[in-house]
Amino acid sequence: MGAVRKAANLTLDAALLEEARGLGLNLSAAAEQGLRAAVAEAKAARWQAENAAALASSNAWVEANGLPLSRHRPF
């Protein structure tokens, strides 16, 4: 079963819109793909911001102590 669709009004650059139509692009699919990418990027940025302290702490520990089990690494 597919995702539920909902109509939305968008304001787009007129020249870009005409070019996309001229190329036969599916505007809804292209907009959804772009929005999906923007949402993923925003979620990743939020996760990094929310976890910045833990990441810094982990990096500092590795810097001070080295990688755990590094003696077992073949390279």
Side-chain angles (χ1 to χ4, degrees):
M1 186 176 199
V4 176
R5 300 284 185 228
K6 183 170 180 162
N9 291 324
L10 302 172
T11 302
L12 303 171
D13 179 282
L16 181 62
L17 182 59
E18 288 306 312
E19 188 174 10
R21 284 184 175 152
L23 292 168
L25 295 178
N26 179 325
L27 299 177
S28 293
E32 186 172 336
Q33 181 181 4
L35 186 56
R36 192 175 306 280
V39 166
E41 185 178 323
K43 286 172 74 174
R46 179 186 289 173
W47 185 91
Q48 285 183 328
E50 290 173 350
N51 292 283
L55 292 169
S57 173
S58 178
N59 289 338
W61 188 92
V62 169
E63 185 121 353
N65 301 291
L67 289 172
L69 306 174
S70 63
R71 67 179 180 266
H72 300 291
R73 293 177 75 178
F75 52 90

XYZ file of all heavy atoms in Angstrom:
545
model
N 0.850 -1.176 0.000
C 0.000 0.000 0.000
C 0.896 1.239 0.000
O 1.833 1.344 0.783
C -0.886 -0.042 1.239
C -1.913 1.038 1.299
S -2.927 0.741 2.763
C -4.307 1.693 2.358
N 0.626 2.212 -0.854
C 1.449 3.408 -0.999
C 1.188 4.432 0.090
O 0.256 4.319 0.887
N 2.020 5.430 0.094
C 1.890 6.510 1.065
C 0.653 7.344 0.745
O 0.260 7.481 -0.412
C 3.133 7.385 1.036
N 0.047 7.893 1.763
C -1.100 8.774 1.579
C -0.608 10.083 0.985
O 0.389 10.651 1.440
C -1.813 9.019 2.934
C -2.946 10.008 2.766
C -2.323 7.709 3.502
N -1.255 10.561 -0.035
C -0.868 11.801 -0.710
C -1.750 12.935 -0.233
O -2.920 12.752 0.097
C -1.012 11.670 -2.230
C -0.172 10.577 -2.818
C 1.258 11.027 -2.864
N 2.094 10.050 -3.524
C 3.242 9.616 -3.043
N 3.686 10.081 -1.904
N 3.940 8.750 -3.688
N -1.177 14.121 -0.180
C -1.922 15.315 0.213
C -1.518 16.445 -0.720
O -0.337 16.652 -0.981
C -1.600 15.693 1.662
C -2.401 16.872 2.149
C -2.255 17.079 3.630
C -3.100 18.282 4.007
N -3.375 18.347 5.399
N -2.473 17.179 -1.218
C -2.208 18.303 -2.113
C -1.544 19.430 -1.338
O -1.813 19.644 -0.157
C -3.512 18.796 -2.731
N -0.636 20.140 -2.020
C 0.048 21.275 -1.402
C 0.260 22.343 -2.460
O 0.524 22.040 -3.623
C 1.390 20.838 -0.828
N 0.145 23.580 -2.049
C 0.427 24.696 -2.953
C 1.864 25.125 -2.749
O 2.312 25.308 -1.621
C -0.507 25.880 -2.658
C -1.941 25.561 -3.033
O -2.186 24.884 -4.014
N -2.875 26.041 -2.234
N 2.609 25.273 -3.851
C 4.003 25.662 -3.784
C 4.238 26.875 -4.673
O 3.614 27.021 -5.710
C 4.913 24.522 -4.273
C 4.799 23.198 -3.556
C 5.615 22.140 -4.286
C 5.286 23.337 -2.133
N 5.165 27.698 -4.282
C 5.611 28.802 -5.115
C 7.011 28.457 -5.577
O 7.907 28.253 -4.758
C 5.615 30.122 -4.311
O 4.300 30.349 -3.812
C 6.042 31.283 -5.175
N 7.186 28.358 -6.893
C 8.456 27.923 -7.463
C 8.974 28.962 -8.451
O 8.213 29.740 -9.013
C 8.271 26.579 -8.188
C 7.709 25.435 -7.350
C 7.370 24.251 -8.234
C 8.698 25.038 -6.274
N 10.272 28.918 -8.690
C 10.901 29.768 -9.680
C 10.262 29.479 -11.046
O 10.246 28.332 -11.498
C 12.400 29.470 -9.705
C 13.140 30.280 -10.730
O 13.057 29.916 -11.923
O 13.798 31.259 -10.345
N 9.716 30.505 -11.694
C 8.965 30.326 -12.940
C 9.816 29.708 -14.045
O 9.355 28.808 -14.769
C 8.387 31.662 -13.402
N 11.049 30.155 -14.202
C 11.909 29.627 -15.263
C 12.229 28.153 -15.005
O 12.226 27.336 -15.937
C 13.189 30.448 -15.350
N 12.501 27.814 -13.755
C 12.795 26.421 -13.408
C 11.581 25.540 -13.663
O 11.691 24.431 -14.189
C 13.228 26.330 -11.942
C 13.590 24.942 -11.428
C 14.777 24.369 -12.189
C 13.890 25.004 -9.936
N 10.409 26.042 -13.318
C 9.172 25.299 -13.522
C 8.939 25.033 -15.005
O 8.619 23.909 -15.401
C 8.000 26.076 -12.918
C 6.624 25.443 -12.979
C 6.619 24.103 -12.263
C 5.595 26.374 -12.376
N 9.126 26.041 -15.840
C 8.936 25.869 -17.278
C 9.960 24.902 -17.863
O 9.645 24.076 -18.712
C 9.001 27.222 -17.992
C 7.788 28.100 -17.741
C 6.465 27.409 -18.062
O 6.338 26.804 -19.153
O 5.550 27.454 -17.213
N 11.205 24.988 -17.388
C 12.237 24.074 -17.870
C 11.896 22.633 -17.497
O 12.032 21.717 -18.312
C 13.595 24.468 -17.306
C 14.749 23.701 -17.893
C 16.103 24.207 -17.441
O 16.183 25.044 -16.522
O 17.098 23.736 -18.020
N 11.449 22.429 -16.261
C 11.076 21.087 -15.808
C 9.909 20.550 -16.632
O 9.924 19.385 -17.058
C 10.712 21.123 -14.327
N 8.926 21.386 -16.875
C 7.784 20.949 -17.694
C 8.230 20.629 -19.112
O 7.775 19.651 -19.710
C 6.712 22.028 -17.707
C 5.923 22.086 -16.428
C 4.807 23.097 -16.506
N 3.988 23.043 -15.307
C 3.316 24.056 -14.821
N 3.351 25.246 -15.424
N 2.593 23.913 -13.735
N 9.134 21.453 -19.648
C 9.643 21.225 -20.991
C 10.401 19.914 -21.120
O 10.438 19.305 -22.183
N 11.005 19.492 -20.033
C 11.736 18.223 -20.012
C 10.835 17.036 -19.683
O 11.290 15.899 -19.632
C 12.881 18.301 -18.995
C 14.013 19.252 -19.367
C 14.932 19.484 -18.179
C 14.782 18.714 -20.557
N 9.572 17.308 -19.418
C 8.622 16.238 -19.134
C 8.769 15.637 -17.746
O 8.391 14.496 -17.529
N 9.338 16.408 -16.822
C 9.518 15.891 -15.466
C 8.193 15.824 -14.719
O 7.308 16.659 -14.920
C 10.488 16.781 -14.690
C 11.927 16.820 -15.193
C 12.757 17.775 -14.352
C 12.534 15.427 -15.160
N 8.082 14.834 -13.861
C 6.931 14.721 -12.974
C 7.192 15.674 -11.809
O 8.049 15.409 -10.961
C 6.785 13.278 -12.489
C 5.640 13.077 -11.540
O 5.310 13.953 -10.731
N 5.047 11.910 -11.595
N 6.482 16.806 -11.782
C 6.742 17.837 -10.782
C 6.494 17.350 -9.366
O 7.266 17.654 -8.454
C 5.903 19.082 -11.074
C 6.158 19.759 -12.418
C 5.210 20.933 -12.607
C 7.596 20.191 -12.544
N 5.449 16.589 -9.166
C 5.158 16.088 -7.825
C 6.255 15.151 -7.344
O 6.715 15.237 -6.204
C 3.812 15.364 -7.807
O 2.758 16.277 -8.034
N 6.702 14.256 -8.211
C 7.753 13.310 -7.831
C 9.065 14.042 -7.559
O 9.769 13.730 -6.600
C 7.941 12.265 -8.924
N 9.389 15.029 -8.400
C 10.630 15.783 -8.212
C 10.581 16.585 -6.912
O 11.564 16.635 -6.165
C 10.858 16.716 -9.400
N 9.441 17.212 -6.635
C 9.297 17.985 -5.397
C 9.389 17.062 -4.186
O 10.044 17.384 -3.193
C 7.974 18.744 -5.392
N 8.760 15.904 -4.261
C 8.802 14.954 -3.147
C 10.222 14.446 -2.919
O 10.684 14.344 -1.781
C 7.863 13.786 -3.413
C 7.746 12.843 -2.239
C 6.663 11.784 -2.428
O 5.720 12.010 -3.211
O 6.773 10.735 -1.782
N 10.937 14.160 -3.994
C 12.322 13.694 -3.878
C 13.197 14.768 -3.230
O 13.995 14.480 -2.347
C 12.860 13.337 -5.258
C 14.282 12.819 -5.247
C 14.776 12.498 -6.650
O 14.088 12.730 -7.647
N 15.971 11.979 -6.730
N 13.040 16.019 -3.669
C 13.811 17.115 -3.086
C 13.459 17.346 -1.625
O 14.342 17.574 -0.791
N 12.183 17.286 -1.297
C 11.751 17.472 0.084
C 12.244 16.328 0.963
O 12.695 16.550 2.093
C 10.227 17.579 0.141
C 9.615 17.926 1.489
C 10.191 19.231 2.038
C 8.103 18.017 1.372
N 12.222 15.100 0.434
C 12.709 13.945 1.188
C 14.206 14.111 1.513
O 14.646 13.850 2.627
C 12.481 12.663 0.390
C 12.676 11.391 1.170
C 12.301 10.162 0.342
N 10.974 10.185 -0.244
C 9.844 9.900 0.400
N 9.885 9.570 1.671
N 8.690 9.940 -0.224
N 14.975 14.610 0.537
C 16.412 14.843 0.751
C 16.627 15.954 1.771
O 17.503 15.850 2.642
C 17.091 15.198 -0.571
N 15.837 17.022 1.699
C 15.970 18.129 2.643
C 15.620 17.690 4.063
O 16.280 18.092 5.029
C 15.083 19.304 2.214
N 14.602 16.857 4.210
C 14.207 16.344 5.525
C 15.315 15.462 6.094
O 15.682 15.574 7.272
C 12.865 15.578 5.447
C 12.614 14.752 6.701
C 11.722 16.557 5.218
N 15.884 14.584 5.266
C 16.968 13.716 5.732
C 18.171 14.542 6.175
O 18.779 14.257 7.218
C 17.370 12.734 4.633
N 18.506 15.575 5.418
C 19.637 16.436 5.775
C 19.374 17.175 7.088
O 20.251 17.260 7.951
C 19.881 17.441 4.650
C 21.097 18.303 4.833
C 21.314 19.245 3.651
O 21.061 18.844 2.510
O 21.733 20.396 3.903
N 18.160 17.686 7.263
C 17.810 18.402 8.494
C 17.827 17.461 9.698
O 18.282 17.839 10.783
C 16.435 19.062 8.347
N 17.344 16.228 9.513
C 17.352 15.262 10.611
C 18.779 14.892 10.998
O 19.089 14.756 12.184
C 16.557 14.017 10.225
C 15.053 14.248 10.234
C 14.280 13.075 9.656
C 14.229 11.903 10.581
N 13.354 10.815 10.087
N 19.654 14.737 10.009
C 21.052 14.411 10.299
C 21.729 15.556 11.039
O 22.466 15.330 12.010
C 21.798 14.100 9.005
N 21.464 16.780 10.620
C 22.043 17.951 11.290
C 21.529 18.055 12.724
O 22.296 18.358 13.650
C 21.724 19.223 10.514
N 20.248 17.787 12.930
C 19.672 17.824 14.279
C 20.317 16.766 15.165
O 20.668 17.020 16.316
C 18.163 17.618 14.238
C 17.544 17.621 15.643
C 16.093 17.281 15.635
N 15.335 18.383 15.056
C 14.042 18.331 14.788
N 13.359 17.230 15.021
N 13.418 19.362 14.280
N 20.483 15.537 14.620
C 21.090 14.454 15.390
C 22.514 14.829 15.783
O 22.915 14.611 16.928
C 21.085 13.162 14.569
C 21.596 11.993 15.355
C 20.863 11.124 16.104
C 22.966 11.584 15.500
N 21.683 10.196 16.693
C 22.992 10.458 16.343
C 24.168 12.058 15.007
C 24.155 9.800 16.693
C 25.340 11.407 15.358
C 25.327 10.294 16.193
N 23.277 15.385 14.853
C 24.650 15.777 15.167
C 24.678 16.847 16.247
O 25.521 16.797 17.152
C 25.371 16.279 13.915
C 25.752 15.142 12.987
C 26.521 15.613 11.779
O 26.320 16.714 11.277
N 27.412 14.777 11.292
N 23.775 17.820 16.169
C 23.730 18.877 17.182
C 23.341 18.308 18.550
O 23.942 18.658 19.567
C 22.743 19.969 16.761
N 22.347 17.413 18.566
C 21.891 16.828 19.826
C 22.938 15.909 20.457
O 22.938 15.718 21.673
C 20.588 16.045 19.605
C 19.387 16.932 19.314
C 18.144 16.143 18.930
O 18.243 14.910 18.691
O 17.077 16.771 18.837
N 23.804 15.343 19.648
C 24.793 14.390 20.136
C 26.219 14.922 20.101
O 27.168 14.155 20.275
C 24.679 13.088 19.331
C 23.384 12.374 19.608
O 23.232 11.736 20.641
N 22.427 12.510 18.711
N 26.370 16.218 19.907
C 27.697 16.827 19.786
C 28.553 16.579 21.022
O 29.744 16.265 20.905
C 27.566 18.319 19.510
N 27.975 16.697 22.208
C 28.743 16.511 23.439
C 29.242 15.065 23.552
O 30.399 14.827 23.899
C 27.904 16.878 24.659
N 28.386 14.102 23.249
C 28.785 12.695 23.324
C 29.855 12.378 22.289
O 30.817 11.659 22.582
C 27.569 11.792 23.125
N 29.705 12.912 21.081
C 30.704 12.680 20.044
C 32.047 13.296 20.431
O 33.098 12.671 20.257
C 30.219 13.250 18.713
C 29.021 12.539 18.090
C 28.466 13.342 16.919
C 29.396 11.144 17.647
N 32.017 14.506 20.975
C 33.252 15.168 21.398
C 33.915 14.381 22.524
O 35.139 14.213 22.538
C 32.953 16.596 21.833
N 33.117 13.898 23.464
C 33.644 13.115 24.572
C 34.295 11.826 24.068
O 35.387 11.457 24.498
C 32.519 12.791 25.556
O 32.968 11.917 26.550
N 33.626 11.148 23.166
C 34.166 9.909 22.607
C 35.454 10.173 21.835
O 36.436 9.439 21.980
C 33.128 9.271 21.687
O 33.634 8.101 21.098
N 35.462 11.226 21.037
C 36.660 11.575 20.278
C 37.816 11.939 21.207
O 38.969 11.573 20.953
C 36.371 12.712 19.306
C 35.502 12.269 18.150
O 35.414 11.099 17.824
N 34.836 13.224 17.518
N 37.521 12.644 22.275
C 38.560 13.023 23.234
C 39.128 11.784 23.915
O 40.340 11.687 24.130
C 37.998 13.994 24.274
N 38.265 10.831 24.258
C 38.738 9.603 24.895
C 39.670 8.836 23.953
O 40.726 8.378 24.358
C 37.554 8.718 25.299
C 37.980 7.549 26.133
C 38.040 7.488 27.484
C 38.446 6.279 25.651
N 38.501 6.256 27.882
C 38.768 5.495 26.767
C 38.623 5.736 24.392
C 39.252 4.197 26.664
C 39.104 4.441 24.281
C 39.417 3.690 25.417
N 39.274 8.703 22.690
C 40.099 7.998 21.711
C 41.418 8.740 21.518
O 42.477 8.112 21.418
C 39.350 7.812 20.375
C 40.280 7.326 19.272
C 38.180 6.853 20.545
N 41.370 10.053 21.477
C 42.594 10.833 21.325
C 43.553 10.595 22.498
O 44.758 10.465 22.321
C 42.248 12.320 21.228
C 43.434 13.184 20.962
C 43.309 13.995 19.696
O 42.357 13.793 18.941
O 44.184 14.822 19.487
N 43.001 10.511 23.699
C 43.834 10.326 24.894
C 44.285 8.880 25.070
O 45.384 8.628 25.555
C 43.059 10.780 26.132
N 43.441 7.921 24.680
C 43.705 6.517 24.976
C 43.961 5.635 23.755
O 44.313 4.472 23.917
C 42.522 5.930 25.756
C 42.292 6.667 27.044
O 43.097 6.583 27.956
N 41.204 7.416 27.122
N 43.721 6.147 22.582
C 43.840 5.342 21.371
C 42.590 4.515 21.136
O 41.693 4.457 21.968
N 42.555 3.881 20.001
C 41.390 3.056 19.669
C 41.392 1.775 20.502
O 42.430 1.125 20.634
C 41.405 2.684 18.190
C 41.105 3.819 17.220
C 41.354 3.347 15.793
C 39.682 4.301 17.386
N 40.236 1.405 21.049
C 40.156 0.144 21.782
C 40.471 -1.022 20.844
O 40.087 -1.026 19.684
C 38.694 0.080 22.236
C 38.159 1.453 22.096
C 38.969 2.122 21.030
N 41.199 -1.975 21.326
C 41.556 -3.170 20.578
C 42.369 -2.888 19.317
O 42.416 -3.710 18.403
C 40.294 -3.974 20.213
C 39.376 -4.342 21.390
C 38.109 -4.983 20.888
C 40.090 -5.255 22.363
N 43.046 -1.750 19.274
C 43.806 -1.397 18.079
C 44.922 -2.387 17.796
O 45.326 -2.553 16.643
C 44.367 0.016 18.211
O 45.267 0.099 19.278
N 45.390 -3.069 18.820
C 46.483 -4.038 18.602
C 46.008 -5.230 17.759
O 46.808 -5.977 17.225
C 47.055 -4.505 19.918
C 46.122 -5.329 20.776
C 46.810 -5.769 22.071
N 45.930 -6.547 22.890
C 45.172 -6.046 23.862
N 45.200 -4.757 24.155
N 44.384 -6.832 24.561
N 44.700 -5.412 17.654
C 44.149 -6.520 16.879
C 43.816 -6.131 15.442
O 43.355 -6.977 14.672
C 42.873 -7.063 17.548
C 43.119 -7.570 18.940
N 43.849 -8.713 19.189
C 42.759 -7.069 20.137
C 43.908 -8.907 20.499
N 43.250 -7.924 21.090
N 44.061 -4.875 15.094
C 43.758 -4.425 13.730
C 44.849 -4.923 12.781
O 46.035 -4.797 13.068
C 43.696 -2.900 13.691
C 42.505 -2.374 14.499
C 42.501 -0.894 14.519
N 42.060 -0.406 13.219
C 41.909 0.878 12.926
N 42.211 1.796 13.815
N 41.501 1.236 11.743
N 44.475 -5.474 11.648
C 45.453 -6.018 10.710
C 46.149 -4.941 9.869
O 47.037 -5.261 9.089
C 44.628 -6.948 9.812
C 43.261 -6.373 9.845
C 43.109 -5.785 11.236
N 45.782 -3.682 10.007
C 46.402 -2.621 9.205
C 46.904 -1.503 10.061
O 46.618 -1.360 11.193
C 45.430 -2.089 8.148
C 44.103 -1.678 8.687
C 43.886 -0.380 9.113
C 43.068 -2.592 8.794
C 42.647 0.000 9.618
C 41.828 -2.218 9.295
C 41.629 -0.914 9.704
